[in-house]
Amino acid sequence: MLPGLREDEGTPQTLRLILVGKSGSGKSATGNSILGRRVFESKLSARPVTQAFQEGHRTWEGRELQVIDTPDILSRWEAPQGTGQGIGEAGAGSSGPHAVLLVTQLGRFTEEDQRVAGRLQEVFGEGILARTVLVFTRNEDLDGGSLERYLRETDNRALAELDVVCSRRHCGFNNKGDGAEQEAQLRELMRHVEGVL
């Protein structure tokens, strides 16, 4: 073993997952889907609904999931004083998140989403995209089609490049789905989180 490296301690019992993305991307609804119940306020609004860092917990397959919902990374995280809660809270402590879930709406990856990815690197460091999973909301809009195929055939060069940088860790969420669909989505997401770990 090389000096300074320790043996793999396995998967931690508590996994910190942080939801980031532009306002209106579906972060809160996705957090609720992961938690299996409504914890975060989620509604259609002309103004951002999430104003401060919030967290919810759930036990899933013997592990504690700590899901952190965040305000719009492009505006709220820039305020030096803000609400008294800041970037440190987003990392849920000095050890930071185990995985970042970059939430974007299917078919709506814009220049603003690109800025979110850039801001994420400013906040957490260049290597954060190696611990990021792309989560596409409105997966139901594929009408039974494959997310893999959608990403393979996209002409959105920035999206295709980000998918590669994130090691093609991506999944789709239908936040209006039923219990079985929600469980299948969570299982796929956790498979990608395991890949990050």
Side-chain angles (χ1 to χ4, degrees):
M1 196 155 83
L2 295 173
L5 295 179
R6 58 179 191 234
E7 291 184 45
D8 182 13
E9 297 173 2
T11 303
Q13 282 303 107
T14 299
L15 295 176
R16 288 179 303 281
L17 309 175
I18 182 170
L19 297 157
V20 298
K22 67 184 180 186
S23 180
S25 62
K27 296 184 302 289
S28 298
T30 300
N32 290 336
S33 292
I34 293 168
L35 295 169
R37 66 188 189 286
R38 189 177 174 91
V39 174
F40 308 125
E41 185 177 4
S42 174
K43 63 182 182 180
L44 186 61
S45 175
R47 303 174 70 97
V49 176
T50 305
Q51 297 295 321
F53 296 97
Q54 303 169 45
E55 68 179 65
H57 298 264
R58 130 175 229 183
T59 301
W60 187 78
E61 295 200 350
R63 292 195 194 115
E64 178 79 10
L65 303 184
Q66 178 186 22
V67 180
I68 303 161
D69 191 14
T70 65
D72 178 11
I73 192 173
L74 296 176
S75 59
R76 300 290 298 174
W77 290 23
E78 292 173 0
Q81 299 300 321
T83 62
Q85 292 182 320
I87 294 167
E89 280 82 350
S94 59
S95 56
H98 289 104
V100 173
L101 310 181
L102 178 51
V103 181
T104 187
Q105 197 176 105
L106 190 68
R108 305 275 181 173
F109 191 84
T110 66
E111 187 175 317
E112 192 175 8
D113 290 290
Q114 293 174 53
R115 290 195 348 252
V116 167
R119 180 74 173 125
L120 190 57
Q121 292 177 87
E122 290 173 20
V123 170
F124 290 106
E126 289 291 321
I128 195 63
L129 293 179
R131 293 173 34 205
T132 299
V133 178
L134 296 175
V135 179
F136 293 90
T137 58
R138 301 188 59 96
N139 193 51
E140 64 274 20
D141 289 351
L142 286 173
D143 285 329
S146 159
L147 180 59
E148 293 290 332
R149 184 172 181 179
Y150 171 83
L151 290 169
R152 197 172 48 245
E153 296 177 355
T154 186
D155 58 0
N156 186 325
R157 186 179 183 110
L159 174 59
E161 289 173 2
L162 182 60
D163 189 42
V164 169
V165 170
C166 294
S167 301
R168 299 200 186 281
R169 282 186 302 271
H170 53 254
C171 59
F173 264 65
N174 172 4
N175 289 317
K176 296 177 181 175
D178 63 14
E181 184 176 11
Q182 297 271 329
E183 183 65 20
Q185 292 172 167
L186 178 56
R187 190 167 302 284
E188 181 183 3
L189 172 64
M190 294 308 295
R191 182 174 58 82
H192 290 301
V193 170
E194 291 286 347
V196 168
L197 295 173

